[in-house]
């Protein structure tokens, strides 16, 4: 058991960010990894040119890396936004325009998980209106994901860093997962279990794993405090990943942590445990 018993992927939207997007897959490969994930890479547009999508596909393929997770358009992230799903008006329109583009790109590169960030509460808008809006958009996203053989992920963030985001506990995200599955009948909405966010919210992560591992479609990790690499904080990450494994989770573990020098930050993980398997 332990770290060497897991399947890790590198989040290229938080690691290797000193490099241009198209050089990051090769950097991850040079560090020994063959699986990667991304937030929506074009924060200024939900509808990039086909040439940009093709260039990213080529960069992933040339590096020999498999994309295993991709966010739908999520607004300015990193930045003030936390998704567009529940945000009425132009942002919601952008999300809708992005759904098939993201799903088709995922299909083109064999990515099987699409994450839809819920979006912040908007001042002056009734939360119930936002939630109804979100469900409508998430149903569309779940259907598009299903069309390309992918799952739809719903993520809980943490309140200290995302005070306007409504899903700041495992139960709040699970409630949305269940509503989407009930509405579509597809069963492909899953929980994105981010250990860092759950810990930042003060949740008992072991308890969350015991309760919801069967609904988890993807896992992300960072240590706390600081959101650094495993071993830089005080979370028992190796133990928690063992608990996940014992609870039946055998999916990807996304490395979504901050590091000034990404390549040097992987020393906690033996080189032979880095390639996808």
């Amino acid at each position: 058991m332990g770290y060497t018993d897991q399947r890790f992927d590198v989040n290229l939207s938080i690691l290797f960010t000193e490099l241009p997007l198209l050089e990051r897959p090769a950097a991850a490969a040079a560090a020994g990894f063959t699986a990667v994930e991304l937030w929506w890479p074009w924060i200024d547009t939900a509808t990039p040119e086909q040439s940009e999508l093709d260039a990213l596909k080529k960069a992933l393929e040339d590096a020999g890396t498999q994309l295993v997770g991709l966010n739908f358009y999520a607004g300015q992230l990193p930045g003030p936004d936390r998704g567009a799903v529940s945000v009425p008006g132009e942002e919601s329109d952008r999300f809708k325009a992005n759904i098939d583009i993201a799903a088709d790109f995922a299909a083109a590169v064999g990515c099987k998980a699409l994450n839809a960030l819920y979006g912040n509460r908007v001042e002056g808008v009734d939360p119930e209106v936002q939630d109804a809006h979100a469900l409508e958009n998430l149903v569309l996203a779940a259907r598009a994901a299903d069309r390309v053989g992918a799952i739809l992920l719903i993520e809980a963030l943490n309140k200290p860093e995302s005070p306007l985001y409504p899903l700041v506990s495992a139960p709040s995200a699970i409630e949305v997962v269940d509503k989407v599955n009930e509405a579509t009948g597809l069963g492909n909405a899953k929980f994105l279990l981010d250990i860092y966010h759950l810990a930042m919210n003060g949740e008992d992560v072991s308890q969350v794993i015991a309760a919801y591992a069967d609904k988890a479609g993807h896992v992300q990790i960072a240590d706390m405090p600081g959101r650094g690499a495993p071993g830089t904080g005080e979370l028992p990450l190796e133990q928690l990943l063992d608990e996940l494994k014992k609870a039946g989770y055998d999916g990807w573990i996304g490395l979504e942590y901050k590091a000034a020098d990404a390549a040097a930050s992987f020393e906690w993980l033996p080189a032979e445990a880095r390639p996808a398997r």
Side-chain angles (χ1 to χ4, degrees), residues 50-122:
Q50 187 61 43
S51 59
E52 292 190 68
L53 294 158
D54 291 343
L56 178 55
K57 179 176 187 279
K58 184 176 188 300
L60 290 163
E61 289 171 351
D62 287 352
T65 50
Q66 174 64 51
L67 188 70
V68 299
L70 175 69
N71 282 12
F72 285 104
Y73 170 78
Q76 297 292 309
L77 180 81
D81 299 335
R82 297 291 185 272
V85 168
S86 66
V87 182
E90 288 181 6
E91 279 296 84
S92 179
D93 292 344
R94 289 187 187 106
F95 180 82
K96 282 193 178 79
N98 174 249
I99 290 174
D100 282 331
I101 291 171
D104 289 344
F105 180 75
V109 297
C111 175
K112 298 295 184 188
L114 289 155
N115 183 28
L117 283 167
Y118 202 79
N120 288 330
R121 289 299 190 211
V122 179

Side-chain angles (χ1 to χ4, degrees), residues 22-257:
L22 298 182
E23 293 177 22
R24 293 178 208 168
F33 293 91
T34 53
V36 296
E37 62 180 53
L38 280 165
W39 302 341
W40 183 247
W42 300 279
I43 61 172
D44 294 322
T45 179
T47 53
E49 297 292 330
Q50 187 61 43
S51 59
E52 292 190 68
L53 294 158
D54 291 343
L56 178 55
K57 179 176 187 279
K58 184 176 188 300
L60 290 163
E61 289 171 351
D62 287 352
T65 50
Q66 174 64 51
L67 188 70
V68 299
L70 175 69
N71 282 12
F72 285 104
Y73 170 78
Q76 297 292 309
L77 180 81
D81 299 335
R82 297 291 185 272
V85 168
S86 66
V87 182
E90 288 181 6
E91 279 296 84
S92 179
D93 292 344
R94 289 187 187 106
F95 180 82
K96 282 193 178 79
N98 174 249
I99 290 174
D100 282 331
I101 291 171
D104 289 344
F105 180 75
V109 297
C111 175
K112 298 295 184 188
L114 289 155
N115 183 28
L117 283 167
Y118 202 79
N120 288 330
R121 289 299 190 211
V122 179
E123 199 175 335
V125 180
D126 184 338
E128 286 187 17
V129 169
Q130 279 198 258
D131 290 342
H133 209 70
L135 184 58
E136 184 185 315
N137 281 334
L138 289 169
V139 163
L140 294 173
R143 288 182 179 142
D146 182 67
R147 172 173 66 78
V148 298
I151 57 172
L152 172 72
L153 297 169
I154 310 290
E155 183 174 11
L157 300 182
N158 77 77
K159 198 168 181 67
E161 292 174 324
S162 304
L164 299 176
Y165 191 83
L167 309 185
V168 286
S169 71
S172 64
I174 292 292
E175 187 182 347
V176 175
V177 166
D178 290 345
K179 279 182 180 169
V180 174
N181 284 332
E182 193 180 339
T184 64
L186 295 170
N188 71 326
K190 302 280 186 182
F191 178 38
L192 199 170
L193 194 158
D194 185 308
I195 289 175
Y196 168 76
H197 288 311
L198 298 173
M200 281 286 287
N201 282 324
E203 289 184 82
D204 182 330
V205 181
S206 292
Q207 207 171 335
V208 171
I209 288 168
Y212 303 123
D214 62 326
K215 294 190 176 186
H218 191 68
V219 171
Q220 290 171 331
I221 62 168
D223 215 330
M224 184 196 86
R227 200 172 184 174
T232 59
E234 52 203 40
L235 286 180
L237 287 169
E238 199 160 10
Q239 173 201 317
L240 292 168
L241 294 185
D242 278 350
E243 289 171 16
L244 264 165
K245 194 95 173 171
K246 283 173 187 158
Y249 180 79
D250 64 353
W252 294 100
I253 313 288
L255 304 180
E256 196 187 45
Y257 61 75

